[in-house]
């Protein structure tokens, strides 16, 4: 009995010790255990990867665990490009690819899966995996790599096709499918694999119709006359082994084959849409106007013939600068009250041969809200106003016996606290019949007294309803802008109400000044833009004597870009393939710029010294690299760092 009791005591102590050890062991373990962060592993394939003399169009790839395929049409690409879409399916532990096009003789085929493959449970991506085989005796192993950037803002272009031609003529891009292709990733990076030795041109194409040929102006493209001869040589790279996302474990030197070229930069643009057509039927959202939307403007405006009204002097035309959006204001309220305007519309459109021809359409332009409904809404407003006046009358308060007219809702773009270079505008809700400048007054406060101040007031040439108010706005000075009632009367007889706005122009010591000293380009027609944190231009100047100066800058963090204004029109212009015209060159200052009050900042900027791929600061780059893979791979390391314990990644045997 004594021996049995001792055994029970020893067993109990063993249990207590085991429990303590187990508890201590769990102290550093994350809740739920570690993630499985190993990607699926390839066990084999039929035919084998890198196989030669392949005749089958069906490829099967086996994995060690269940897998899933994501976004096959966007991420998986077969080269040479397939005019008939291949069938690519993930089922269980395998992927089956069936090519539909006839196999070309003596050709290396690559199936680039990018990051489309991941395990089914944890979503661990396999990474950039490419399956290769050849229908001939050998595998072509050369690669061509680089980046595609948007020419207008140097944003990386994700998902655009990049391809090669061994036909070096300009016509190839519009007559032949690309020879070998790849697709850019989230960094705008592309790698075209399986390339045979030779001389090539490189193009980018946002292929809208899947024919691998540039045949639509709506397709974003990039082209270059430079030719490339792929090559390779042995090289050494340094690979960083991370303990977690913050700590480096080791740096190792790894021998590899370095393929050239690997630094191609293509600047992609979309051509101006010159095919002219009516985008949709005339739109009459408001009863007093209707709008025609064209795909492209033309100086020859449409002709309108009224079928149930007299079109003579019936409209006031408001056209945007490009003349692709035309708004017709109805002068006569009788026409405004008519629900349907029947008309014959004659305009220029592009036919199938690309030639402008006259198109005649008979259209019914219907008001979105009928006259009857508008009258009911107006009656309802009057009734509500009348009830309000009756209540005031019963309470003995002041009231109006007649409902006052609704004043013209002028939009005054002016600030109470204003910069000296702020542009003051008045935007009218409808075209004006009367503009009385004598009813507009500007006063300046000098030593507590107010004095009249001269100004200029005129309509913008490019806008029917926008007026500029120009004055000499002196720093650290108070103004009063006062406008009498009925200063503005629109074509329907609606008058504006009185308006008054106090203005304080800020003092000079509240601003910074920024000067760029430019170099790197021989062209003198350079326009520099100051950008906010959203990559939006807030100021623009034309460089003079290789200098660009910005005044009245509010303290903040800014960025800058510049473009070569080749045609001198003051705006960035896109390219044209048929005219062999590249988009105007755009450059970004590669660092942020901190402007402080009372400080003058002078910066030297060599526009071409930094490669285009590294010019645009990360903070304002909207197209970020794909980070999902890195997050998945580092889940365990991040969890261990949060818990303060060391994590060593286990590798599958």
């Amino acid at each position: 009995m004594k021996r049995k009791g001792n055994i029970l005591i020893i067993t109990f102590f063993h249990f207590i010790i085991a429990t303590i050890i187990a508890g201590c062991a769990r102290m550093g373990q994350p809740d739920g255990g570690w993630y499985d962060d190993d990607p699926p592993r390839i066990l084999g394939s039929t035919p084998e990867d890198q196989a030669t003399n392949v005749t089958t169009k069906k490829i099967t790839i086996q994995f060690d665990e269940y897998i899933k395929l994501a976004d096959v049409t966007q991420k998986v690409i077969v080269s040479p490009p397939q005019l008939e879409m291949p069938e690519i399916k993930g089922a269980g532990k395998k992927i089956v690819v069936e090519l539909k096009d006839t196999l070309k003789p003596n050709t290396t085929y690559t199936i680039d899966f990018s990051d489309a493959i991941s395990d089914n449970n944890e979503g661990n991506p396999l990474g950039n995996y490419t399956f290769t085989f050849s229908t001939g005796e050998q595998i072509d192993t050369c690669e061509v790599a680089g980046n595609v950037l948007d020419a207008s803002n140097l944003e990386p272009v994700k998902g655009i096709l990049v391809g090669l031609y061994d036909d070096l003529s300009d016509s190839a891009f519009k007559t032949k499918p690309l020879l070998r292709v790849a697709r850019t990733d989230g960094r705008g990076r592309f790698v075209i694999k399986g390339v045979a030795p030779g001389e090539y041109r490189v193009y980018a194409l946002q292929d809208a119709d899947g024919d691998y040929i540039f045949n639509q102006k709506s397709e974003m493209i990039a082209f270059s006359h430079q030719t490339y001869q792929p090559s390779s040589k042995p090289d050494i790279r340094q690979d960083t082994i991370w303990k977690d996302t913050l700590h480096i474990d080791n740096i190792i030197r790894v021998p590899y084959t370095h393929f050239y070229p690997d630094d191609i930069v293509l600047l992609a643009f979309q051509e101006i849409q010159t095919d002219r057509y009516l985008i949709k039927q005339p739109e009459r959202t408001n009863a007093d106007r209707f709008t025609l939307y064209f795909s492209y403007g033309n100086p020859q405006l449409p002709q309108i013939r009224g079928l149930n009204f007299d079109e003579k002097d019936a409209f006031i035309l408001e056209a945007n600068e490009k003349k692709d959006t035309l708004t017709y204001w109805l002068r006569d309220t009788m026409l405004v009250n008519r629900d349907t305007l029947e008309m014959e519309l004659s305009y220029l459109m592009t036919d199938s041969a690309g030639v402008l021809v006259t198109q005649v359409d008979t259209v019914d332009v219907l008001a979105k809200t009928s006259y009857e409904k508008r009258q009911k809404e107006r009656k309802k407003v009057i009734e509500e106003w009348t009830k309000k006046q009756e209540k005031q009358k019963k309470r003995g308060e002041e009231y109006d016996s007649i409902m006052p007219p609704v004043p013209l809702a002028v939009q005054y773009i002016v600030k109470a606290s204003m910069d000296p270079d702020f542009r003051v505008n008045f935007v009218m809700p409808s075209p004006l019949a009367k503009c009385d400048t004598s009813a507009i007054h500007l006063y300046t406060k000098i030593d507590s007294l107010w004095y009249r101040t001269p100004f200029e007031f005129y309509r913008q040439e490019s806008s029917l309803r926008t007026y500029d108010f120009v004055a000499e706005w002196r720093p650290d000075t108070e103004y009063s802008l006062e406008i009498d009632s009925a200063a503005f009367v629109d074509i329907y007889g609606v008058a504006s109400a009185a308006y008054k706005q106090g203005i304080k122009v800020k003092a000079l010591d509240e601003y910074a000044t920024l000067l760029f000293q430019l170099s790197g380009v021989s062209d003198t027609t350079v326009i520099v833009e100051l950008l906010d944190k959203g990559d939006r231009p807030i100021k623009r100047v034309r460089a003079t004597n290789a200098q660009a100066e910005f005044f009245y800058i509010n303290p903040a963090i800014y960025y800058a870009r510049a473009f070569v204004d080749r045609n001198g029109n003051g705006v960035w212009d896109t390219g044209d393939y048929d005219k062999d015209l590249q988009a105007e060159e755009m450059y970004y200052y590669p660092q942020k710029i901190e402007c402080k009050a009372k400080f003058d900042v002078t910066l030297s900027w060599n526009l071409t010294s930094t490669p285009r791929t590294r010019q645009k600061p990360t903070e304002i780059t909207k197209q970020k690299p794909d980070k999902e893979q890195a997050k998945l791979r580092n889940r365990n390391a991040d969890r261990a760092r949060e818990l303060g314990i060391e994590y060593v990644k286990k590798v599958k045997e």
Side-chain angles (χ1 to χ4, degrees), residues 183-197:
R183 201 183 294 275
T184 55
D185 61 14
R187 301 172 299 158
R189 183 75 178 169
F190 67 88
V191 180
I192 305 174
K193 301 178 180 180
V195 181

Side-chain angles (χ1 to χ4, degrees), residues 497-536:
Y499 174 82
K500 184 176 181 178
Q501 174 65 60
I503 302 168
K504 175 63 186 295
V505 179
K506 294 189 287 186
L508 288 178
D509 60 6
E510 297 184 52
Y511 299 102
T513 301
L514 174 62
L515 172 66
F516 285 109
Q517 296 176 335
L518 306 177
S519 62
V521 295
S522 57
D523 202 312
T524 57
T525 56
V526 176
I527 290 179
V528 183
E529 295 178 327
L530 196 64
L531 311 172
D532 63 13
K533 293 182 179 180
D535 196 26
R536 294 178 293 266

